[in-house]
Amino acid sequence: AYNPEDRALLSCGSCTHDLCWRQLPLGNFQMGDTDNRVQVMFTRALLVQATEVSRADLVAAGVADASVQRDCGQLCPADRVSWIDAVLYTNALSDIAELPHCYTVDENGSVDTTEWMVTVTGGEGGSPYLCEGYRLLTEAEWEYAYHGNARNTWFCGENATCLSAFAWIDVNSNNTSHRIASLQPNPMGLWDIAGNQAEWINDAFDVNVRPEGGTDPIGLAYVHGEPRGFRGGSYFNNEIDASAWERHGTFPTNRFDNLGFRVCRTVFE
């Protein structure tokens, strides 16, 4: 049977189980750039997929693969994934692992996904941190996964040229995505957190509203039909998009050749 937490045969080549997932410790960090810095505290550790979700991962979970970037075969990161596609995948993983869903999807009797209502489930207030199943990272979790407590513009330093060893972006990608984990991981042990595919996050997005700090922040209250966030830049983007603080969003039903995702789950042990 497929175990979502044993991806060695699926996407990590010859790596071992613990190279495919990373447990990030609970703790505090400062989120945001110099002009918009807030303090964040996490009350639980987080298990984060060490790679972006691959085409092989979608197939193994019984989810349709609509990816167009296929030069690296099944080990290409999945692309053309909408936010709704991504949360349906996380629910599929939760089913396989016999864990609760972190998202409730109401199709409203329509095949048009723009009509679908998606609710983040969990504990009080729909906090994703209180859900035991698989889900997308919150924006705060994603930024912590990107560079931990470091304050550099890029996790590898203040000179963007350092990205060449870690990230597939416009200057080195030949305008295509690449096999997951084919460059070096960041200091948190995560591959392609910058570049290759941009990554959907859990949070709603408003370009005029900066993330708030606090304990286990969940971001903006979501309004149906409004954008969801994505981070990290892609093979198509420049070094600014691959930086720690660059933020973007788009409508949750949109699909792009350079937008994928990675998953996580809260650690309750």
Side-chain angles (χ1 to χ4, degrees):
Y2 172 51
N3 178 356
E5 290 180 22
D6 184 8
R7 302 173 65 253
L9 298 179
L10 297 175
S11 302
C12 295
S14 60
C15 76
T16 59
H17 170 87
D18 63 349
L19 286 176
C20 298
W21 294 82
R22 288 285 183 260
Q23 182 164 317
L24 307 187
L26 58 85
N28 303 333
F29 89 110
Q30 290 189 332
M31 181 180 182
D33 60 27
T34 303
D35 297 328
N36 300 280
R37 195 167 292 174
V38 294
Q39 189 73 22
V40 171
M41 181 176 74
F42 297 119
T43 58
R44 292 178 175 84
L46 186 71
L47 191 68
V48 181
Q49 185 177 346
T51 67
E52 296 176 325
V53 171
S54 71
R55 295 181 57 218
D57 292 332
L58 297 182
V59 172
V63 175
D65 174 23
S67 302
V68 296
Q69 302 287 335
R70 300 192 171 203
D71 289 349
C72 41
Q74 291 295 302
L75 298 184
C76 286
D79 63 75
R80 294 200 63 78
V81 178
S82 71
W83 188 88
I84 290 178
D85 294 334
V87 302
L88 290 174
Y89 172 81
T90 68
N91 282 353
L93 289 191
S94 295
D95 285 339
I96 292 167
E98 299 182 347
L99 294 170
H101 286 181
C102 291
Y103 303 92
T104 299
V105 181
D106 183 352
E107 299 180 6
N108 287 320
S110 174
V111 296
D112 181 359
T113 57
T114 62
E115 300 295 326
W116 293 9
M117 297 289 292
V118 181
T119 305
V120 179
T121 55
E124 183 178 352
S127 171
Y129 300 94
L130 299 178
C131 179
E132 297 179 16
Y134 293 94
R135 58 179 175 82
L136 300 177
L137 284 72
T138 66
E139 187 159 22
E141 289 170 333
W142 188 95
E143 194 165 312
Y144 182 56
Y146 181 95
H147 65 176
N149 284 305
R151 299 306 312 154
N152 296 324
T153 304
W154 297 276
F155 58 75
C156 52
E158 279 301 317
N159 189 328
T161 59
C162 70
L163 282 174
S164 62
F166 302 93
W168 296 111
I169 58 175
D170 59 352
V171 296
N172 65 349
S173 70
N174 197 29
N175 199 34
T176 187
S177 63
H178 292 259
R179 182 190 187 279
I180 59 171
S182 55
L183 294 177
Q184 297 180 36
N186 77 345
M188 304 292 274
L190 306 176
W191 284 279
D192 300 319
I193 194 77
N196 218 5
Q197 291 290 330
E199 300 178 9
W200 285 111
I201 56 173
N202 185 78
D203 296 27
F205 176 80
D206 185 329
V207 69
N208 296 312
V209 179
R210 303 298 302 185
E212 295 183 354
T215 301
D216 296 336
I218 61 174
L220 291 172
Y222 183 66
V223 177
H224 176 64
E226 292 300 305
R228 293 283 186 174
F230 61 89
R231 299 288 298 265
S234 74
Y235 68 85
F236 181 77
N237 301 118
N238 63 24
E239 70 278 4
I240 300 301
D241 287 319
S243 67
W245 303 303
E246 189 71 8
R247 306 171 63 242
H248 294 280
T250 190
F251 297 108
T253 54
N254 283 348
R255 297 182 176 96
F256 298 104
D257 296 359
N258 62 332
L259 181 54
F261 67 113
R262 77 177 66 223
V263 302
C264 70
R265 68 175 178 86
T266 303
V267 176
F268 287 91
E269 292 82 5

